[in-house]
Amino acid sequence: MESRTLLAIVLSLIILIGYQYFFLKPQPRDQQPTPQQQEEERQETVTGEGTVTAAEETVTPALIKKPIQITEDTTSQGADVTVRTPLYTAVFNTKGAGLTSFRLNDYRSTVNADSEPIEIVDVRTNMTLPLSVTFPESSITVPAEVIYETDESVVDLTRSETPRDLIFSWTYPGEVEIHKAYTFHPDRYAFELEVRILNLSGETLKENALLSWTRYYDPEVKQDRYSHEGPVGYVQDDFISRKLNKLDEAEFLGPGVSWGGYEDKYFIAALISEQPSLTSLVIAKNGESMISTGLEGPRNIVPPGQSASYRYTLYVGPKEYDLLKAQGVGLEDSINFGSWIKWLALPLLKVLNFIYDYVHNYGVAIIILTILIKLIFWPLGNMSYKSMKEMQKLQPKIKELQEKFKEDKAKLQQATMEMYKSHKVNPMGGCLPIFIQIPVFFGLYRALLYAIELRHAPFYFWIQDLSAKDPYYVTPIIMGATMFLQQKMSPAPGGNEMQQKMMMWLPVIFTFLFLNFPSGLVIYWLFNNILSIGQQYYINSIKS
């Protein structure tokens, strides 16, 4: 088969693979047990000091205080407590000791530099606050809306180098006392939370805690097809995600939950348990527009005068690979680099960031990276162009063989291969370099599409966000023009007229395919074409 025919097939496959890979997003992996199995697991005996087991509840029911339902005036308003660090500004409320706001100082809501910092929390009226704690299946059921007390109104770490604590307390006299102690750090997005339950009664309590991140979402807003927004988690060493429009009933996953939370394309709020082997993940949809993702800890026996504690690390911030990986719980898997191309996307992103440290413009860094990649593949490119040119010279002889053995395809194939061998021509020589470069294209695509470093990163002129499409479609059109020019400079393919028309339509197809791609990726492909045109001109000139 002629090298140009193979080239056409390869490029067509790229289009098909690209469509399936980019536009037909696969369903999230779901290797979890059935709901019945999950409930059975939740009832099974678990190990650990002070943990209630199903057997103990049956044998010693008199030792456990009977459940008390506490009611609270949900209309009362709590007081705000502001936490300021160099990285974020958080606002807690004493009603539930949860969050009402969490703004990231270094990230803007729009590409405009004067826009407001990005807001991670989205709460509405009568909504349970993120980081609220409830106590299901406990001797004393405490609602999430209780009013905690604290001595702080502002916790300021903007000029501090040491951590600071913020402690909320709530007491039901003669029964139970609950403390929520947050620890904030001036140099990181992660902070800690300890939930401590103190037994003030004269009887043994059975307690467990459910820490939740609740989020409002608008079901009418169309989701970005290139990214996921919704509940995520890491269960039994497997990353899981759930689509907002697929959630119906509450889902219980685990135990073996390292973390759970809520993500969008560039940011994540993750609840990390310090007891993953005893922790379950609860995902629930409240009404039509509320999603709750929570970590439920083990049930603990709390004798009179004793306490039980639940400890968490909370990460609320950007999905920056190194920051997520530093948590050591697989949080970096929330970045959708793709399981089969991640090994290439990450090195490309690191090289891109290295170049950016010197040029301070990601668009320029992409161009320099394109040149480096082209230099690496320069010998393969020369091989491809030379092979295509040699194949062009053999076209008359190939046609003679086709005419001679038109009734015997086996002999035609044998004679054609002998001719290739005698002229030292490899029919695959024109296509092999393209096959090798395809993973680089997909790896860079993933890196440019999902790396937060390119969010709102400007290039020049009208391109002010390299992670978004070209608003005026200028670069995709120029890219298509350079691809057309490259086709015209290539050796004319042999074969029938249909093959030649298909080759000439490829620039048009690629232009439409790239219209909605991130402008950073289009810039890469555009400059790759320009460099390829220069290389092809060089090969044509020395062989003419």
Side-chain angles (χ1 to χ4, degrees):
M1 183 180 292
E2 302 170 355
S3 62
R4 295 304 299 274
T5 303
L6 286 172
L7 177 61
I9 294 173
V10 170
L11 292 176
S12 300
L13 286 174
I14 292 175
I15 297 172
L16 293 175
I17 295 173
Y19 176 79
Q20 295 177 6
Y21 192 76
F22 300 146
F23 302 110
L24 299 180
K25 188 176 180 65
Q27 294 292 330
R29 292 174 292 175
D30 187 1
Q31 300 176 354
Q32 305 305 319
T34 65
Q36 182 179 358
Q37 293 172 329
Q38 293 163 8
E39 185 60 28
E40 290 174 356
E41 287 180 355
R42 285 163 56 79
Q43 298 299 331
E44 287 179 353
T45 299
V46 293
T47 60
E49 183 178 356
T51 301
V52 176
T53 67
E56 288 174 334
E57 291 184 55
T58 303
V59 175
T60 59
L63 296 179
I64 307 299
K65 187 176 181 66
K66 294 185 181 299
I68 297 176
Q69 183 73 38
I70 297 175
T71 60
E72 185 79 5
D73 183 6
T74 59
T75 62
S76 58
Q77 299 297 316
D80 287 339
V81 180
T82 302
V83 178
R84 299 191 184 98
T85 78
L87 298 177
Y88 59 83
T89 300
V91 180
F92 289 81
N93 191 277
T94 56
K95 186 175 183 178
L99 282 168
T100 60
S101 175
F102 199 101
R103 292 180 178 268
L104 305 181
N105 298 337
D106 296 333
Y107 297 90
R108 301 291 155 180
S109 55
T110 68
V111 72
N112 189 343
D114 297 329
S115 63
E116 293 291 323
I118 192 74
E119 175 64 79
I120 302 298
V121 173
D122 190 353
V123 297
R124 304 299 167 101
T125 305
N126 298 326
M127 174 178 165
T128 302
L129 299 182
L131 301 186
S132 293
V133 177
T134 54
F135 303 89
E137 303 181 29
S138 298
S139 297
I140 300 179
T141 304
V142 181
E145 296 84 6
V146 297
I147 304 296
Y148 286 77
E149 295 181 352
T150 181
D151 295 332
E152 305 282 357
S153 60
V154 176
V155 178
D156 194 342
L157 287 83
T158 54
R159 298 182 180 180
S160 174
E161 296 181 357
T162 58
R164 287 278 306 275
D165 293 333
L166 172 60
I167 301 175
F168 295 92
S169 301
W170 177 85
T171 303
Y172 190 68
E175 295 292 348
V176 69
E177 183 175 293
I178 299 173
H179 299 275
K180 293 180 67 175
Y182 295 93
T183 302
F184 303 98
H185 305 267
D187 58 347
R188 63 184 82 162
Y189 291 100
F191 54 100
E192 290 81 41
L193 168 62
E194 179 184 6
V195 179
R196 189 162 66 93
I197 308 166
L198 176 62
N199 184 1
L200 302 179
S201 72
E203 301 178 60
T204 300
L205 301 181
K206 178 188 70 174
E207 297 293 338
N208 79 328
L210 173 63
L211 175 67
S212 299
W213 184 275
T214 307
R215 169 82 185 202
Y216 169 85
Y217 79 97
D218 188 348
E220 300 299 325
V221 175
K222 186 178 181 180
Q223 299 298 316
D224 181 5
R225 60 184 174 182
Y226 295 114
S227 62
H228 170 260
E229 178 178 351
V232 287
Y234 203 71
V235 184
Q236 299 172 357
D237 297 326
D238 187 26
F239 174 75
I240 64 104
S241 63
R242 296 293 181 264
K243 292 185 177 182
L244 294 174
N245 59 356
K246 299 294 184 180
L247 292 174
D248 294 317
E249 299 180 354
E251 186 175 6
F252 299 91
L253 305 174
V257 177
S258 299
W259 59 268
Y262 191 96
E263 72 164 1
D264 59 23
K265 185 175 182 179
Y266 292 117
F267 303 97
I268 187 170
L271 318 176
I272 305 170
S273 172
E274 290 194 5
Q275 294 180 293
S277 62
L278 303 176
T279 301
S280 298
L281 177 64
V282 182
I283 301 174
K285 183 177 181 181
N286 304 321
E288 292 297 323
S289 56
M290 301 292 179
I291 294 293
S292 178
T293 307
L295 297 186
E296 184 173 358
R299 289 172 290 175
N300 287 294
I301 292 292
V302 188
Q306 300 297 312
S307 64
S309 295
Y310 298 87
R311 294 179 176 89
Y312 310 89
T313 297
L314 312 171
Y315 181 93
V316 185
K319 291 164 70 172
E320 187 175 331
Y321 185 83
D322 290 338
L323 295 180
L324 300 181
K325 188 174 179 61
Q327 301 303 316
V329 291
L331 204 56
E332 67 275 9
D333 285 353
S334 62
I335 306 177
N336 191 14
F337 283 141
S339 57
W340 69 277
I341 205 65
K342 178 180 178 180
W343 62 273
L344 189 54
L346 282 174
L348 288 172
L349 180 59
K350 289 184 179 296
V351 173
L352 190 66
N353 287 332
F354 176 80
I355 298 171
Y356 174 80
D357 289 339
Y358 290 92
V359 300
H360 305 295
N361 185 301
Y362 272 109
V364 176
I366 290 172
I367 294 174
I368 295 175
L369 179 61
T370 306
I371 295 173
L372 293 177
I373 293 174
K374 194 64 180 178
L375 289 175
I376 293 173
F377 288 110
W378 186 271
L380 291 176
N382 287 347
M383 180 195 306
S384 175
Y385 297 138
K386 289 177 181 179
S387 178
M388 290 164 59
K389 201 163 185 65
E390 292 301 322
M391 287 291 295
Q392 183 189 27
K393 293 179 180 179
L394 293 179
Q395 288 304 314
K397 295 184 179 180
I398 292 176
K399 290 182 178 179
E400 290 178 4
L401 292 177
Q402 290 173 343
E403 184 65 28
K404 181 178 180 180
F405 298 107
K406 60 182 178 180
E407 301 297 336
D408 193 336
K409 292 185 179 181
K411 289 185 177 180
L412 172 62
Q413 183 178 8
Q414 182 180 359
T416 302
M417 295 308 296
E418 289 176 355
M419 184 182 63
Y420 287 154
K421 185 176 180 180
S422 63
H423 287 81
K424 298 180 179 180
V425 173
N426 183 0
M428 292 294 295
C431 298
L432 182 61
I434 297 176
F435 274 116
I436 296 176
Q437 293 182 63
I438 287 176
V440 176
F441 170 78
F442 282 124
L444 193 59
Y445 170 84
R446 284 286 179 174
L448 297 182
L449 184 60
Y450 294 105
I452 193 172
E453 291 89 341
L454 270 71
R455 179 183 181 268
H456 296 171
F459 183 39
Y460 292 115
F461 308 113
W462 67 94
I463 299 179
Q464 294 300 310
D465 186 356
L466 289 166
S467 68
K469 66 180 182 180
D470 186 330
Y472 303 110
Y473 305 110
V474 175
T475 50
I477 293 174
I478 297 177
M479 185 277 299
T482 58
M483 194 172 180
F484 179 79
L485 178 59
Q486 190 177 3
Q487 290 284 356
K488 297 293 289 184
M489 292 180 63
S490 299
N496 57 42
E497 185 179 353
M498 181 62 67
Q499 175 188 338
Q500 299 178 31
K501 288 183 178 180
M502 183 176 66
M503 294 295 294
M504 297 309 295
W505 270 102
L506 282 177
V508 178
I509 296 173
F510 268 64
T511 299
F512 280 98
L513 190 64
F514 274 65
L515 287 179
N516 293 312
F517 276 11
S519 54
L521 185 70
V522 180
I523 289 173
Y524 161 75
W525 200 254
L526 167 60
F527 277 86
N528 182 72
N529 284 352
I530 293 174
L531 295 173
S532 297
I533 289 172
Q535 184 178 12
Q536 194 162 340
Y537 178 80
Y538 168 75
I539 295 296
N540 290 345
S541 63
I542 64 175
K543 299 294 289 185
S544 58

